[in-house]
Every structure is written in structure tokens, then in C-alpha cells.
Amino acid sequence: MRNDAPPARPIVTISDLVIEFRTRRQRVRALDGASLSVAEGEKVGLVGESGSGKSTLALSLARLLPTNAEHVSGDLTVAGKSIFAMDTASLRAVRRRTLSYVFQDPIGTLDPTMRVGRQISSVLNGVSQRSAVASSLLEVGLTDHKRIARSYPHELSGGMAQRVSIAVALAAKPQVVIADEPTASLDASIRAQILDLLVSLCAGHGTALVLLSHDLRAIAHYCERVAVMYGGRVVEDGPTANVFSEPFHPYSRALMKAAPGQERLGGRIEPIPGVPPILGGREERCTFAPRCRFALESCHSERPGEQRTAGRRVICHRVEGGLPPLPR
């Protein structure tokens, strides 16, 4: 049976985005030409070591970067409109209706001076709607919704507070939810429950999900596409099953081998040698070359461009011309 449904439209498009931070001693380039797109209703995982640029990319989506951050070049559009070209009123509208965030620390994210019910109500145009608040809390599995609505965030457990954060994030029916390590601060026993809840609710609402995580098993389980970041760029982007089973970029392969649970019986986890780079400006070589055992001569002197092969987007000299995957 032929599927004539049109492809989903992109809700987020990031094009060669460059973001730098000013410090007292130097400028640090956090994004060095990052590109990524997210379609309506799609679940995309964003992975990479600390310092790869994941959080900067996520915060850029709603222009939530700190004051010492500077947009140098490139663009980022949400629902077809450039985030960096928006005035304050338009940006507030996007933050209220189009984009929502679920962060790592729910207690720190929620307003400590405001009761839970009022926080959810504030997302619903500030109108106190008891039935809407109750529905939001019930939707995230908080059956004792009356007590929860009257509570302050510090009166809740970590798991309950994260459920409230999800309720707040989804109350306005946004088009995109960005979840930055949403279970990292929670007990291991409830992490899967929270991720199951978040993913199922996004699917039910038709909301796209961008999930940032160091847990590759969670990304493999929940996301249909994965983007691997290194040195401020998305170095590999493709269907999750394909990238995980046969990564094309050397960094993707090293990342998979260094993940707990990927080692063979009786074997050891293979750490990635060296450390991620701190960029002071545009990098004119492959940033992974000093750590890469597959590096070519060109990797140390030429900035790799984007290649498209086998349904993937890869930034690597080794895949130019559609070369086969790396040897094991």
C-alpha cells in the first residue's frame, strides 16, 4: 500500500549557526557552524560529550543564552521565523506558545514562590482554570491533583516536581519541547517512567521533541533520529537505528564504544583518548583529528564539509564521495 502522505514540515531549522561567549580573557566559540532541522512531531536525540555544544544549541532555540553570548552568524528559524530577528513581543509569543523546555533540575526550574496550580494556570493565559489545571496534572500521572495544585515546588519529591515541569511545558500545547537531561537528577528507579511519560505525551499532542542526553540507550529507545555533536558542529545526523548500528563518523563510533552497556562480555569500555577542544574561533581543521585513530592527512589541515550519504548527513573527510564505513 503506497503512502501518499506529504513529508512533515520542519518546525525548527538551524543553518550554520555560530555562537561565541565573551570572557575576561578570551572569546570561546561554543557553536562553530551547527546545522540541524526538526520536523513537526519528530523525536530527535542530541548526543555528545560535555562541551560539544548541545546545551548552547538547545538554549539558542528560544534565545535563552546568557548575556555574554553573541550570535556571530548563521540563522535559526522556528515555525519559519528567525529567532534572532524577532522583537521582544514576538519572542515572548514563541516562548509561550511554540517552544517549551524541560530542564534537568525541576525544583530549580519551577518558581519557588508560586503554588503549582498557579504556575500551570499562568501558562494558560493567566486565567485560573481549575479544570484545566486538574487535567494537566492528571495527564502527567499526579492523581492527587488538588493537593499538588496547592503545593509549592519544595514540598514535592524530585519525580513529582519533574512531572509538574512536564505539565507546565505541555499546558499550552507547544509545537516543540526541548528536554535537556530531564532525568539526570532523578532516582534511577523512576527515570524510565518520566521519559516514557514525556515521550508519550509529546506523541499524543503531536509535539516535536528534542532530547539531550548522555544516556545513549535512552536515545536509541525513544528517538527516531539522532544528531551527534562535537566541537560545536553536528558531525553526524541520521536515523537512530542506522547511526547506532553502523556509525560513519569516527567520533560517533568512539562515543558508542565509550558508552556503558556497549562493551562485549568480558570486555572493557573503550574511553575516548584526549579531551574535547575549546575553540577560540573558526576551526580550520577537523576538531576531532587529534583524538581520531582514523585521521587522514587532510583532517589536520582542512575543515571538513558536509557530505550526504546513505540517508545521513556527515561532516568527515573519510566519507567524501560516499566512501564505505570505517573499518572496525
Side-chain angles (χ1 to χ4, degrees):
M1 183 175 174
R2 201 175 73 180
N3 184 6
D4 294 322
R9 298 177 301 174
I11 185 64
V12 170
T13 302
I14 303 169
S15 306
D16 205 23
L17 186 62
V18 177
I19 299 291
E20 292 183 351
F21 291 92
R22 301 182 304 276
T23 69
R24 291 182 179 180
R25 296 185 176 182
Q26 63 180 337
R27 295 176 70 89
V28 176
R29 179 165 289 203
L31 297 181
D32 188 31
S35 297
L36 182 69
S37 66
V38 180
E40 294 177 335
E42 190 177 24
K43 298 184 290 295
V44 178
L46 203 56
V47 301
E49 293 169 283
S50 296
S52 62
K54 302 190 304 298
S55 293
T56 300
L57 190 68
L59 292 174
S60 297
L61 290 169
R63 224 164 81 194
L64 290 174
L65 295 166
T67 55
N68 69 328
E70 179 182 342
H71 168 224
V72 177
S73 62
D75 202 7
L76 193 164
T77 64
V78 176
K81 297 179 180 179
S82 174
I83 284 291
F84 296 104
M86 288 182 182
D87 57 24
T88 302
S90 299
L91 186 59
R92 285 177 178 170
V94 166
R95 291 171 177 172
R96 178 177 289 273
R97 292 295 168 195
T98 308
L99 286 166
S100 289
Y101 285 81
V102 179
F103 291 106
Q104 178 176 329
D105 178 16
I107 301 295
T109 301
L110 297 169
D111 189 334
T113 68
M114 191 183 295
R115 297 181 191 273
V116 165
R118 188 180 170 193
Q119 295 195 49
I120 297 174
S121 181
S122 67
V123 180
L124 302 167
N125 295 322
V127 179
S128 180
Q129 304 174 26
R130 290 186 179 181
S131 60
V133 170
S135 296
S136 293
L137 293 173
L138 288 169
E139 188 178 46
V140 296
L142 296 171
T143 55
D144 192 7
H145 60 86
K146 291 183 179 179
R147 181 184 68 81
I148 301 296
R150 293 193 302 267
S151 300
Y152 289 97
H154 70 271
E155 298 176 309
L156 307 176
S157 68
M160 294 171 70
Q162 194 62 295
R163 288 175 185 268
V164 170
S165 294
I166 295 171
V168 172
L170 291 172
K173 306 294 189 292
Q175 293 175 276
V176 187
V177 167
I178 301 98
D180 190 351
E181 296 283 357
T183 62
S185 65
L186 304 179
D187 292 340
S189 60
I190 62 171
R191 289 176 186 171
Q193 296 176 26
I194 296 298
L195 277 177
D196 282 341
L197 174 69
L198 177 60
V199 172
S200 63
L201 289 179
C202 284
H205 288 287
T207 300
L209 174 65
V210 180
L211 177 62
L212 285 67
S213 181
H214 290 287
D215 187 345
L216 297 186
R217 285 179 292 184
I219 295 293
H221 182 70
Y222 294 106
C223 298
E224 54 210 8
R225 188 158 63 86
V226 63
V228 182
M229 289 199 71
Y230 187 81
R233 304 178 80 185
V234 177
V235 296
E236 184 163 3
D237 174 11
T240 304
N242 295 350
V243 173
F244 274 62
S245 63
E246 195 171 47
F248 284 179
H249 197 284
Y251 177 66
S252 302
R253 174 162 296 175
L255 193 66
M256 305 303 169
K257 288 188 174 182
Q262 301 300 313
E263 68 277 11
R264 295 180 179 180
L265 184 64
R268 293 184 177 183
I269 294 175
E270 296 183 26
I272 307 175
V275 295
I278 298 176
L279 304 179
R282 176 182 167 89
E283 184 59 61
E284 297 300 343
R285 63 173 182 172
C286 173
T287 52
F288 188 59
R291 308 173 71 187
C292 179
R293 66 188 182 97
F294 300 105
L296 306 171
E297 184 176 343
S298 58
C299 299
H300 294 281
S301 58
E302 300 175 20
R303 181 181 174 94
E306 178 183 303
Q307 309 295 325
R308 293 182 180 269
T309 179
R312 279 183 246 181
R313 191 168 56 86
V314 188
I315 295 176
C316 180
H317 288 302
R318 272 195 165 269
V319 297
E320 290 180 358
L323 294 178
L326 296 170
R328 293 188 180 277

